[in-house]
Amino acid sequence: MTVEPKLLEVQRVSIILIIFTVVSLKILDLNLTPPKVTKKDLQIDINTASKKQLTKVPYIGNKTADKIIGIRNSSGKIDNIYKLKEIRNFNKFKYYIKVE
């Protein structure tokens, strides 16, 4: 049984390239895993958010943002998101907001 020299050479080169790639990644220490983002990281603080930031939240449009800002201005600070429960779509946008 004979093995073709070209096939052996291709296998050798392939193994060398694989080893080189693995060693290079270890040396560069690339963080190839995406950062862990929690739901809490995506929430915005309704006490500090501007109208523009509020309108980027799903289910909050200009009118809803104005209502939130109005409640915030009249009470000074919103200490619980459930103060907004009378606002339309509250049950939909409550997952995207927080108070700190």
Side-chain angles (χ1 to χ4, degrees), residues 45-49 67-80 83-84 99-100:
D45 184 4
I46 55 176
N47 285 312
T48 58
K67 288 179 185 177
I68 293 171
I69 292 170
I71 293 170
R72 182 174 69 192
N73 290 341
S74 66
S75 66
K77 182 181 176 187
I78 300 170
D79 56 355
N80 189 330
K83 283 188 174 181
L84 306 175
V99 290
E100 290 185 347

Side-chain angles (χ1 to χ4, degrees), residues 16-32:
I16 291 171
L17 285 174
I18 291 170
I19 292 171
F20 176 76
T21 303
V22 170
V23 170
S24 297
L25 289 174
K26 290 288 184 184
I27 290 172
L28 295 175
D29 192 30
L30 295 176
N31 188 4
L32 299 178

Side-chain angles (χ1 to χ4, degrees), residues 2-9:
T2 61
V3 179
E4 294 212 24
K6 283 188 173 186
L7 180 63
L8 285 175
E9 184 62 27

Side-chain angles (χ1 to χ4, degrees), residues 5 9 11-12 16 20 23 26 28 33 42 44 48 57 61 92-93 96:
E9 184 62 27
Q11 288 177 340
R12 249 186 249 124
I16 291 171
F20 176 76
V23 170
K26 290 288 184 184
L28 295 175
T33 58
L42 300 175
I44 65 161
T48 58
V57 173
K92 294 180 181 178
F93 70 75
Y96 302 99

